[in-house]
Amino acid sequence: MRMKKNWFLSLLIGIFLLTGCGGFSDEVIAKIDGQEIMKSEYMVYLYTTTQSFVSAAGNDVWNMDFDGQTGEELVQERALSTIQSVIAAEKYAAENNISLSEDQIQDAHASADEFWENLTEEDREKMGIEKDSLYTLMEESYLYSVVNEILAAECAVSEDASQAYYEENKAEIQDAYTLYTVDSIMVEDETTADEVADKAQSGEDFAALFDAYDVDETAKESDEGGRMTLYKSYMNNTFGIDEDLALGQITDPLEVSGSYFILKVEEISVPTESDVLTLAEESYRSQVQTEYVEARMSEMTKNQTVEKIDGAWENLESFHE
């Protein structure tokens, strides 16, 4: 299912660490507590941080102001600070005898394979990374996640505060987690997208148009075709939708990373009050524990020495239009 959100993998690649690559020209771009950070390592973090920002705020993030910083500047800063946190987590794990199980190592390798397959050749070249380098490196991201979970478990969550959060945010949560099932057609150029959208909106069979025009061969070979099931908040951010789509609605072409999508809404499922309560409790717990872990990580990283290598930060490529 294309565009399906793999939250676990997204979390992991968002904290992904490279410690070196062979076969590509590389250079040291920084040192953290004397540990050399390669340009390839930083570029992977820059890629995953960019993906996270776009997923959360859409492509308009690059036009926003963040307390005097551009989106580009903030992404670059976050990429380096994430590397600092991973180094701190590795140190914590070593001091507390924490390591990965064999099953976790196997999962890390599988995630490395998936991460690699989802990269374009252009992005691989920008990163300066080879596939064989990913396995050990993804293990380090899994170790970060393990440390993260251990730290989060230290934090108690108030039931009264959780209930207050639910009362304040239940309408917004119900809206964000409304589940949309949509059929989609993906094409490569705007002219074709306009043609397909006109035909679909004029009543031509959507499935037949998918067979005739869709360029995603993987989707065509699957039983689901172009069908996707997405939470409203994720769907709107991914496709840049700023309206409430209605049942049966067929959208105009939606541009995503150079491809064009036409969506048809097949089903809308609004979460029940019980579901919203559960989602609110999970959201609040995650928010409180994330703030706690960030504070603990800040304590671990505040005394790190960070040295940027002069000249190495000039003319870095980005991963967005």
Side-chain angles (χ1 to χ4, degrees):
M1 179 187 295
R2 64 185 173 203
M3 304 295 292
K4 182 178 180 180
K5 188 68 171 177
N6 186 330
W7 294 106
F8 186 54
L9 179 61
S10 295
L11 169 65
L12 294 170
I13 67 173
I15 56 167
F16 191 78
L17 174 65
L18 282 170
T19 56
C21 303
F24 289 85
S25 176
D26 209 350
E27 63 179 318
V28 176
I29 198 169
K31 294 181 181 179
I32 299 175
D33 282 348
Q35 179 174 326
E36 293 183 342
I37 307 302
M38 307 304 292
K39 181 179 179 180
S40 56
E41 171 184 344
Y42 175 79
M43 292 302 287
V44 171
Y45 275 104
L46 188 61
Y47 171 84
T48 56
T49 306
T50 298
Q51 298 301 306
S52 177
F53 268 57
V54 172
S55 177
N59 285 313
D60 287 343
V61 69
W62 311 114
N63 301 318
M64 297 178 184
D65 178 81
F66 298 89
D67 295 329
Q69 283 185 307
T70 65
E72 187 71 49
E73 290 169 340
L74 183 58
V75 165
Q76 292 176 355
E77 178 184 288
R78 291 284 179 86
L80 184 61
S81 66
T82 303
I83 298 175
Q84 290 184 249
S85 294
V86 174
I87 290 174
E90 287 183 302
K91 181 179 179 182
Y92 180 92
E95 292 172 346
N96 291 275
N97 198 30
I98 299 168
S99 60
L100 298 179
S101 67
E102 286 300 318
D103 286 344
Q104 287 172 322
I105 291 172
Q106 290 179 15
D107 287 344
H109 292 183
S111 292
D113 287 334
E114 185 174 351
F115 179 76
W116 175 263
E117 293 303 324
N118 286 330
L119 293 173
T120 66
E121 189 61 38
E122 180 183 1
D123 287 338
R124 293 172 189 167
E125 291 176 0
K126 286 182 182 180
M127 294 175 193
I129 180 177
E130 291 179 324
K131 184 179 180 181
D132 289 347
S133 302
L134 295 179
Y135 297 113
T136 298
L137 309 174
M138 189 63 88
E139 288 178 30
E140 293 172 349
S141 75
Y142 267 60
L143 183 61
Y144 176 98
S145 295
V146 170
V147 171
N148 197 294
E149 291 173 2
I150 290 171
L151 295 177
E154 298 174 355
C155 178
V157 179
S158 164
E159 291 186 7
D160 289 343
S162 180
Q163 180 64 28
Y165 177 86
Y166 162 71
E167 294 295 342
E168 182 178 350
N169 296 281
K170 58 185 178 182
E172 180 181 345
I173 292 171
Q174 185 176 59
D175 184 64
Y177 283 90
T178 293
L179 205 59
Y180 277 73
T181 299
V182 298
D183 282 328
S184 67
I185 299 170
M186 184 177 80
V187 300
E188 293 179 339
D189 65 273
E190 188 173 6
T191 300
T192 304
D194 288 336
E195 178 184 346
V196 173
D198 286 343
K199 289 182 176 182
Q201 291 168 352
S202 296
E204 291 197 29
D205 183 72
F206 202 87
L209 291 171
F210 171 83
D211 291 336
Y213 287 96
D214 196 279
V215 297
D216 187 343
E217 293 302 324
T218 301
K220 283 190 169 183
E221 293 171 2
S222 73
D223 293 336
E224 295 175 326
R227 179 159 293 201
M228 299 177 282
T229 300
L230 309 165
Y231 287 123
K232 177 182 175 180
S233 57
Y234 177 68
M235 179 183 71
N236 286 2
N237 283 335
T238 299
F239 292 102
I241 298 169
D242 55 10
E243 61 177 340
D244 290 339
L245 298 184
L247 188 64
Q249 181 174 347
I250 297 172
T251 68
D252 291 332
L254 304 166
E255 192 272 331
V256 180
S257 301
S259 296
Y260 293 85
F261 290 80
I262 298 91
L263 307 182
K264 179 181 179 182
V265 180
E266 298 288 358
E267 185 178 345
I268 301 174
S269 178
V270 179
T272 65
E273 184 175 341
S274 176
D275 290 336
V276 173
L277 176 59
T278 299
L279 288 166
E281 290 172 344
E282 292 173 351
S283 177
Y284 183 73
R285 183 183 305 108
S286 176
Q287 177 180 307
V288 171
Q289 291 181 338
T290 296
E291 290 173 356
Y292 175 81
V293 171
E294 287 178 351
R296 293 278 274 123
M297 282 292 176
S298 179
E299 284 294 314
M300 294 180 193
T301 60
K302 70 178 182 180
N303 294 321
Q304 289 176 336
T305 58
V306 180
E307 175 191 356
K308 290 187 174 182
I309 305 302
D310 290 339
W313 294 79
E314 298 175 2
N315 302 316
L316 289 177
E317 295 187 88
S318 65
F319 293 96
H320 64 87
E321 298 290 336

